[in-house]
Amino acid sequence: MDYTTLGRTGLRVSRMGLGCGGPSRLGLNDGKSEQNAEAVVRRAMELCVNFFDTAEVYRTEEIVGRALGGVDRDKFVISTKKPVVHDGELIDPNDFAVGLEGSLRRLGMDYVDIYNLHGVRPEHYDHARERIWPVMEKLRDQGKCRFLGITEIFIADPTHRMLSTAVRDGCWDVVMVGFNLLNPSARRTIFPTTRSKGIGTLIMFPVRRALSRPGRLREVLDELQARGEIGGDLPGDDPLGFLSMGPGAAKSLTEAAYRFCRHEPGADVILSGTGNIEHLEANVKALNLPPLRQEDLERLEQLFGLVESITGE
C-alpha cells in the first residue's frame, strides 16, 4: 500500500481509506453480521490500510472501535463526523460538542484524528463556520480531536458550491469531496486551492452505481448526452470499453475508476467501502496499480472534463 502525507496535518495515511458508511456500511446494509464487519476492518489493517472513515450516523463507530481495539493507537488514523442538522433543524453548538463525546465513547478512544462537519449544504455553511467551528476549535485544543474537517453532500451539491467557499476560509485541515471520472469538476474548483493551502483531501464516490452497473452507466450517459454535456460520441454497446482495450488497459471499469482517482494530483485518500473481504482485496490491488494510460486520460477529459451535474450514483 502506498502512503502519502495528508496535507498540512502531517499524518501519514494510506492512499486507500476504508469507508465505513456509504451504501454498504461494512456489509450491514446487505444483512451481514457485525462480526463480518469487524473482520473487514481487521483485514484492511492487514493490507496496510491505516485510514478509517466513520460517522455518528453510520452507526459503525462501535464496530470500528472493537476491530481496532488491540492495535497500537499510533498505527491508524480515525476520521469521524457529525451533521449540523438534526430533524430538519440546525444543531446547537453545544450539541456538537456532546456528539464528539458520544463518538469517543462508541469508538473506545481518547481522541479522534479528524473530526468533521458531516454533509454540509451550501445554505448551512455560514452556521457551520460561524457557530460550530469555534466549538470544534475548542475540542481540538482540549485534545479530543487533532484536526478539523468538513464534508460536502455530493448528491445535492455536485458542483461543490459549499466546498468552494470552505477551502478559501483557511480553517479546515481536511475536506471530503466527491470526485470520479464521470464528474471530475473538483479538479477545476477544489484541488487548486487545497493543494496551494495544504488542505488534505478525502475522495468519496470514486465508484458508485454508474461505474459498477452497466445498465446504470448507460442511463447516466444518455442523460448527459441529452443535455449536451459530453464532449464527443460514445458507442452504445460498451461506451467506456476503450479503457479495457490494449496494452496497459484496465481489467475492469471499476479498476479504471479507482486508478483514475488514485493518481489525480490533489487527491490524497481514496475512500472505498465494502462488506466483502474479496472485494476489499480487489480494491486495494486496483489502488496500487499505475496511472491510466495517457491517451485514456486525454479521452476522458475530452468526454467528461466539463461535467458537473451528476455524481456517478
Side-chain angles (χ1 to χ4, degrees), residues 179-185 187 211 217 221 224 229-234 239-244 250 253 255-261 264 291-307:
F179 177 76
N180 56 53
L181 62 83
L182 295 174
N183 181 348
S185 56
R187 175 184 290 159
L211 293 171
L217 176 61
L221 295 180
L224 291 174
E229 294 187 54
I230 292 183
D233 295 325
L234 287 168
L240 297 181
F242 64 90
L243 294 169
S244 301
L253 183 53
E255 178 193 300
Y258 278 125
R259 290 168 63 184
F260 176 86
C261 293
E264 175 69 22
L292 295 176
R293 298 169 299 190
Q294 185 60 34
E295 60 266 31
D296 290 341
L297 293 171
E298 292 173 359
R299 177 68 170 147
L300 290 170
E301 174 63 19
Q302 176 192 12
L303 290 168
F304 306 116
L306 298 180
V307 171

Side-chain angles (χ1 to χ4, degrees), residues 20-288:
C20 302
S24 172
R25 290 180 53 241
L26 296 173
L28 299 180
N29 282 352
D30 301 319
K32 296 183 179 179
S33 68
E34 291 191 359
Q35 290 75 21
N36 175 79
E38 291 176 31
V40 170
V41 174
R42 288 193 292 269
R43 181 58 178 149
M45 278 291 297
E46 292 171 354
L47 294 168
C48 299
V49 173
N50 78 338
F51 191 97
F52 300 89
D53 177 75
T54 182
E56 176 185 286
V57 300
Y58 296 164
R59 304 191 306 280
T60 56
E61 289 175 321
E62 289 183 350
I63 290 169
V64 173
R66 288 197 302 267
L68 298 176
V71 181
D72 290 344
R73 185 60 183 86
D74 61 354
K75 300 298 184 184
F76 58 85
V77 174
I78 289 287
S79 166
T80 194
K81 310 183 281 294
K82 182 176 177 62
V84 296
V85 175
H86 179 70
D87 289 338
E89 300 291 332
L90 291 168
I91 68 169
D92 183 89
N94 291 330
D95 292 335
F96 198 84
V98 171
L100 178 53
E101 296 291 349
S103 289
L104 292 175
R105 183 177 62 254
R106 289 185 291 273
L107 287 162
M109 299 176 187
D110 296 327
Y111 68 92
V112 295
D113 298 283
I114 306 166
Y115 196 39
N116 303 272
L117 288 172
H118 192 180
V120 179
R121 293 177 180 271
E123 62 268 26
H124 298 153
Y125 181 71
D126 287 346
H127 177 79
R129 175 64 179 88
E130 295 168 11
R131 301 205 60 203
I132 305 298
W133 183 81
V135 173
M136 297 176 74
E137 190 176 32
K138 291 179 181 178
L139 294 170
R140 181 192 62 197
D141 293 344
Q142 293 167 6
K144 295 178 181 179
C145 57
R146 299 175 66 190
F147 302 101
L148 308 181
I150 189 167
T151 82
E152 66 181 1
I153 298 185
F154 191 39
I155 289 285
D157 186 15
T159 62
H160 317 291
R161 287 187 297 141
M162 186 280 294
L163 279 184
S164 294
T165 299
V167 295
R168 293 197 300 269
D169 270 351
C171 57
W172 309 107
D173 302 305
V174 179
V175 299
M176 186 183 294
V177 55
F179 177 76
N180 56 53
L181 62 83
L182 295 174
N183 181 348
S185 56
R187 175 184 290 159
R188 295 180 282 106
T189 60
I190 303 300
F191 295 157
T193 305
T194 57
R195 295 179 73 190
S196 67
K197 291 180 175 289
I199 300 171
T201 57
L202 313 177
I203 306 303
M204 60 177 167
F205 281 69
V207 179
R208 281 295 177 93
R209 289 191 302 155
L211 293 171
S212 60
R213 303 180 186 178
R216 179 55 183 157
L217 176 61
R218 186 67 268 175
E219 292 174 355
V220 168
L221 295 180
D222 287 345
E223 293 171 11
L224 291 174
Q225 286 181 316
R227 293 198 295 265
E229 294 187 54
I230 292 183
D233 295 325
L234 287 168
D237 53 345
D238 189 9
L240 297 181
F242 64 90
L243 294 169
S244 301
M245 297 172 59
K251 292 183 174 61
S252 68
L253 183 53
T254 297
E255 178 193 300
Y258 278 125
R259 290 168 63 184
F260 176 86
C261 293
R262 158 65 183 86
H263 296 282
E264 175 69 22
D268 293 329
V269 176
I270 315 303
L271 295 171
S272 174
T274 181
N276 181 287
I277 287 179
E278 290 184 0
H279 185 202
L280 169 71
E281 292 169 347
N283 293 347
V284 168
K285 181 178 179 180
L287 284 162
N288 279 326

Side-chain angles (χ1 to χ4, degrees), residues 1-4 13-17 262 267-271 287:
M1 173 60 62
D2 291 334
Y3 287 77
T4 190
V13 292
S14 51
R15 285 292 197 169
M16 174 180 161
R262 158 65 183 86
D268 293 329
V269 176
I270 315 303
L271 295 171
L287 284 162

